Amino acid sequence: SNDIYTKGHPAGVTVGLAWTAVGGDILFIEASLSKGKGGLTLTGNLGNVMKESASTALSYLRAHCSDLGIDSARFDEQNVHVHVPEGAVPKDGPSAGITMLTSLASAFTGRRVRPYLAMTGEITLRGQVLPVGGIKEKILAARRAGIKDIIMCRQNEKDIDEINAQYLKGLRFHYVTDASEVLEVALAKK
Amino acid sequence: SNDIYTKGHPAGVTVGLAWTAVGGDILFIEASLSKGKGGLTLTGNLGNVMKESASTALSYLRAHCSDLGIDSARFDEQNVHVHVPEGAVPKDGPSAGITMLTSLASAFTGRRVRPYLAMTGEITLRGQVLPVGGIKEKILAARRAGIKDIIMCRQNEKDIDEINAQYLKGLRFHYVTDASEVLEVALAKK
Amino acid sequence: SNDIYTKGHPAGVTVGLAWTAVGGDILFIEASLSKGKGGLTLTGNLGNVMKESASTALSYLRAHCSDLGIDSARFDEQNVHVHVPEGAVPKDGPSAGITMLTSLASAFTGRRVRPYLAMTGEITLRGQVLPVGGIKEKILAARRAGIKDIIMCRQNEKDIDEINAQYLKGLRFHYVTDASEVLEVALAKK
Amino acid sequence: SNDIYTKGHPAGVTVGLAWTAVGGDILFIEASLSKGKGGLTLTGNLGNVMKESASTALSYLRAHCSDLGIDSARFDEQNVHVHVPEGAVPKDGPSAGITMLTSLASAFTGRRVRPYLAMTGEITLRGQVLPVGGIKEKILAARRAGIKDIIMCRQNEKDIDEINAQYLKGLRFHYVTDASEVLEVALAKK
Amino acid sequence: SNDIYTKGHPAGVTVGLAWTAVGGDILFIEASLSKGKGGLTLTGNLGNVMKESASTALSYLRAHCSDLGIDSARFDEQNVHVHVPEGAVPKDGPSAGITMLTSLASAFTGRRVRPYLAMTGEITLRGQVLPVGGIKEKILAARRAGIKDIIMCRQNEKDIDEINAQYLKGLRFHYVTDASEVLEVALAKK
Amino acid sequence: SNDIYTKGHPAGVTVGLAWTAVGGDILFIEASLSKGKGGLTLTGNLGNVMKESASTALSYLRAHCSDLGIDSARFDEQNVHVHVPEGAVPKDGPSAGITMLTSLASAFTGRRVRPYLAMTGEITLRGQVLPVGGIKEKILAARRAGIKDIIMCRQNEKDIDEINAQYLKGLRFHYVTDASEVLEVALAKK
Ligand SMILES: [Ca+2]
Ligand SMILES: [Ca+2]
Ligand SMILES: [Ca+2]
Ligand SMILES: [Ca+2]
Ligand SMILES: [Ca+2]
Ligand SMILES: [Ca+2]
Ligand SMILES: [Ca+2]
Ligand SMILES: [Ca+2]
Ligand SMILES: [Ca+2]
Ligand SMILES: [Ca+2]
Ligand SMILES: [Ca+2]
Ligand SMILES: [Ca+2]
């Protein structure tokens, strides 16, 4: 079955879109919190650029926590663990940046991520969303997996325009330029 | 003799199934606790992916400790050591994830792992159990070692279906999708 | 559109000029602060020399903080994160030194960087601004991006003199020898 | 002279058996304690597997300290240094595990190791003693050095059975399966 | 102009002499202090030997601080940053040892380094000044830069004797054997 | 001149003998102490085996400090820096072990090392002195440097016996088996 949402996902889990040697794929970004001193653990066979994405997303979230009603003190009193299954597959690149941000924001607020939603886009420290590559392959993979909503950078709209309409049937696109828009679309009301 | 349970194992020891260059094999995951500050020591010639498995399993256990009646404060007041004999053999990959979780849960609860049980499967941070490779070779090795119960991912059931029934005689399979099911099957009542 | 200033930038963001394998380019240096103990996080696929630039700029700022009305205690009570998008592109070299200083000074003072301004130049620990290479390519890239003011080292003036005047139309140059002059030109009044 | 015991050894020193490119050899494992915070220093040109052996042996000892009358608080109030002369020779492998345990236990209890005793065997975290290779060469080296008692894993008995009896004259073998048996044989009464 | 002293240097800046692939050159060693816990930051694309020089110079200064009227407590209450522009050029070797010492002593005492002075020489932990190579090239570079006084090891005097007198015109040499002599020559009265 | 003792050495300095690609040489081991928390800094382009020698010598000294009248608390309240000039020359091997011990003991006791004395020998954690190579070349270098007394391992006596007597004229040998003998010969009365 293509339905990855049969059971729903707990808060802290977001679907990202990846571009691999063998085509597009979906991946999950899992974030969880525990009592601690602000440590950040990153697992899932991640390269340095992808690890930096997580660090950047966390700094952005911390700087904008009051917008989401997160007490800033929690960033010093909790440890964050971000994991990307599947451990046997090396992963790298900045395109999971907004996906990481969404998982972090979901874990800190306890608000689940909207179902049937996937996303891809680089995040910068000030919250800009940057365009990424492999859009066509990612879209095909999202549809195969039963995804209905996709968030990406406004500058990637031109890549969607080049895709044959039949491959886009049933997909709704949310083009954004700022990280705050990502979270507005992605996080369910509590 | 094939009976690896003559003397029984103390709490913290679980049998895993490995797929090596020379076929399937069983391996032991040993976990022990000591007074400390939440440190995690990993030994046994483990590669990075396998080390990340242990870290992910520990984070999962910590996030779900109340389900098992473990006081969450203990994760900050104890050090954890996970060892995988035999030190001369390099080991890697994510497939020992649920085995590591079981050893950790056994060590923290003091509940022994059910005898004649082995397991193989990747664990994710939110507790999903993912399928792994080398099932046929692992099953043969388990049987040679006197194992009677095997836990694996529901998605690996298709690999069992392809094995000639004569090699499965005396084996009982427990297909799971979530880490909580692993612990329910694996941990003996106290 | 070439106008990178449609929305304006928050404090902590400065435009730098880079010289890459495929010509000149603009890049953004983003700095943000959070409560902490004086830690410095550097992301964006930066090489060691570029990381050392950030460290040098921060030490300079700290040593001269009273000139800018920054309480020196803040350097021990805040963490600094400096990020340079785009994560997929490796970046190195000392030429972003004054750009990093400006972003840091902007973040600590809350004063925004003057719009339509870009800069390039190495910084030393005592605040000297040193000349850098690739000036012609950097100038062309700045103009394409809608930049109007450019700060660089006085010793790079000779490189500007060699550029055909038509490529310089609409650009105003600020030649400096000391870091204090950079900040005087770059930081808007609060 | 072959007598390595003319002067006796202080507590903390155990004779191990090594298998090198040029045949068997004896080696000394020296452990000493100092006031500290539970640090572990390992010297003597040791590879990672051998370092992990020491870590595993120390965790085992800590978990079983009450059996030996060692106050568990000491593991947090002392630093441990384990050294293996000779520094010019790289050493690796898990076969010194029980030798390391014995030196550590001797140092913590102040009980000397029985003279004319050598040993070889891997240790696991739960205290299992595992078989090792190079038994014939190790035995010859032990005898040349004047050793009279040898501890090894019960599973290595078959290797002794294959050695010509004349090479075993004057040697007494102690076959063990658990680390507690090693210490019972090795540690002198105080 | 060759005059590197038009504006004078603040305390903490010393001119060294380097021997590079393309001949002799002058370089600046910049030291600055900030409130801290005794940390040492080294930047400027320095190799390990050059970093060790800085560490050795700092230990020497600390051990002899009372000779210079420096309160020893300051070494635990301040962080030290030593930077060597230009970041794009890799630098290594021990010959900047006395230059580093001088910058450190200047920064800690607030006494400026005498103008038109350069130096080259290795320093040892007990304060010996050792001879270095490339003297002829270094002298030519110093003269081109307008240097008038040069400090070097007494054992390098023989290298000066071999240089044609016309290249030495206007240069005054200070041959030393101990680090205390370096500081006596180099540091201006407050 | 060959006389390396014209000025005498301060406490903490010992002459060692090295065996290099171009023959024997003398080297100095310098140790100095400062207020701290027991840190150990090693400089002078030292390889790992030589660094381990220093660590082993320091642990030995700490364990035997009362024999020398050193208050054991000082090992936690002082930092130790050991430096071996000349930084441009890589150095490695265990043969400077007793030389390092002597410098450390000299620094901690304030007792100077006897003049015209050199030494070579590996040290073990329990204080054994082990034989080293290159004896002939080291002896020739010692004599050229004006050395009169040499400490080495008793097992190296056979190497001295093989040297033509004319090369030994004026040299006195002290053969030792234990580190305590080294210090007895080497340290001057206070
Ligand atoms: Ca997949
Ligand atoms: Ca993504
Ligand atoms: Ca096996
Ligand atoms: Ca397994
Ligand atoms: Ca670009
Ligand atoms: Ca720049
Ligand atoms: Ca040997
Ligand atoms: Ca052994
Ligand atoms: Ca230059
Ligand atoms: Ca120099
Ligand atoms: Ca020499
Ligand atoms: Ca030596």
Side-chain angles (χ1 to χ4, degrees), chain E residues 16-18 27 95-96 99 119-121:
Chain E
L17 299 173
L27 54 75
S95 79
T99 323
M119 63 187 66
T120 184

Side-chain angles (χ1 to χ4, degrees), chain D residues 7-10 13 28 30-36 41-46 51 79 81-88, chain F residues 48-49 51-53 55-60 62-63 72-73 76 93-94 122-128 130 177-178 181:
Chain D
K7 289 182 34 176
H9 300 308
V13 179
F28 294 87
E30 306 176 326
S32 85
L33 307 178
S34 59
K35 214 183 113 236
T41 301
L42 300 169
T43 54
N45 212 338
L46 311 183
K51 285 181 178 172
N79 288 331
H81 188 152
V82 175
H83 179 70
V84 188
E86 326 166 9
Chain F
N48 283 335
V49 171
K51 286 181 178 172
E52 290 191 347
S53 277
S55 165
T56 302
L58 183 58
S59 285
Y60 172 85
R62 184 172 187 157
S72 72
D76 293 321
E122 179 172 349
I123 189 176
T124 86
L125 188 58
R126 83 194 114 135
Q128 279 202 317
L130 301 184
T177 61
D178 191 89
E181 302 168 67

Side-chain angles (χ1 to χ4, degrees), chain F residues 37-84:
Chain F
K37 299 188 169 174
L40 175 58
T41 300
L42 300 169
T43 54
N45 212 338
L46 312 184
N48 283 335
V49 171
M50 197 162 177
K51 286 181 178 172
E52 290 191 347
S53 277
S55 165
T56 302
L58 183 58
S59 285
Y60 172 85
L61 184 64
R62 184 172 187 157
H64 296 78
C65 63
S66 63
D67 299 351
L68 291 161
I70 305 169
D71 178 2
S72 72
R74 288 176 61 200
F75 291 85
D76 293 321
E77 297 162 0
Q78 301 204 271
N79 288 330
V80 179
H81 188 152
V82 174
H83 179 70
V84 188

Side-chain angles (χ1 to χ4, degrees), chain A residues 78-97:
Chain A
Q78 300 203 273
N79 287 331
V80 179
H81 187 152
V82 175
H83 179 70
V84 188
E86 324 165 9
V89 182
K91 309 163 191 83
D92 207 354
S95 78

Side-chain angles (χ1 to χ4, degrees), chain C residues 49 52-53 55-57 59-60 62-63 72-73 76 93-94 122-128 130 177-178 181, chain E residues 7 9-10 13 28 30-36 41-46 79 81-83 85-88:
Chain C
V49 172
E52 290 190 347
S53 277
S55 165
T56 302
S59 285
Y60 172 84
R62 184 173 187 156
S72 72
D76 293 321
E122 180 172 349
I123 189 176
T124 85
L125 187 59
R126 83 194 113 135
Q128 280 201 317
L130 301 185
T177 61
D178 192 89
E181 301 168 69
Chain E
K7 291 181 30 175
H9 301 308
V13 180
F28 294 87
E30 306 174 327
S32 85
L33 307 179
S34 59
K35 213 183 115 237
T41 300
L42 299 168
T43 54
N45 212 337
L46 312 182
N79 288 331
H81 187 153
V82 175
H83 179 71
E86 325 166 7

Side-chain angles (χ1 to χ4, degrees), chain A residues 19-47:
Chain A
W19 186 23
T20 75
V22 296
D25 199 1
I26 66 163
L27 55 73
F28 294 87
I29 308 277
E30 306 174 327
S32 84
L33 307 179
S34 59
K35 214 183 113 235
K37 299 188 170 174
L40 175 58
T41 299
L42 300 168
T43 53
N45 212 338
L46 311 183

